[in-house]
Amino acid sequence: MGITRAATMECARELGIPVVETTLTRYDVWNADEAFLTGSAAEVIPVVELDGRKIGAGKCGPITAKLLELFRKKVRTDGVMVA
């Protein structure tokens, strides 16, 4: 598991957001209220469209925004998690 992914999952748990790992189809993503990706350079980035179809409102959703805010608070500029 990647460091950013693990940190994002930890942030979700702290916010009381259930974390479930599962395989999704395109249909699942198209019908999601919101979606995001994680990565070292991207941190937490909203997915607003897939194959030309909007996901949710087609913009960063409230859960993604909360995760990104907490993630950035927890990570110093050198990328190391702060306790």
Side-chain angles (χ1 to χ4, degrees), residues 6-19 36 63 67 70:
T8 304
M9 291 169 75
E10 179 182 316
C11 289
R13 289 183 185 103
E14 285 183 30
L15 292 169
I17 300 167
V19 176
F36 63 87
I63 292 173
L67 284 172
L70 182 56

Side-chain angles (χ1 to χ4, degrees), residues 14-59:
E14 285 183 30
L15 292 169
I17 300 167
V19 176
V20 178
E21 294 185 75
T22 188
T23 302
L24 300 173
T25 66
R26 280 188 178 147
Y27 181 81
D28 295 325
V29 178
W30 288 333
N31 289 288
D33 293 327
E34 60 183 288
F36 63 87
L37 300 172
T38 64
S40 296
E43 296 180 341
V44 178
I45 186 166
V47 178
V48 298
E49 183 179 297
L50 177 64
D51 294 337
R53 295 183 188 201
K54 280 186 182 179
I55 297 173
K59 61 183 181 178

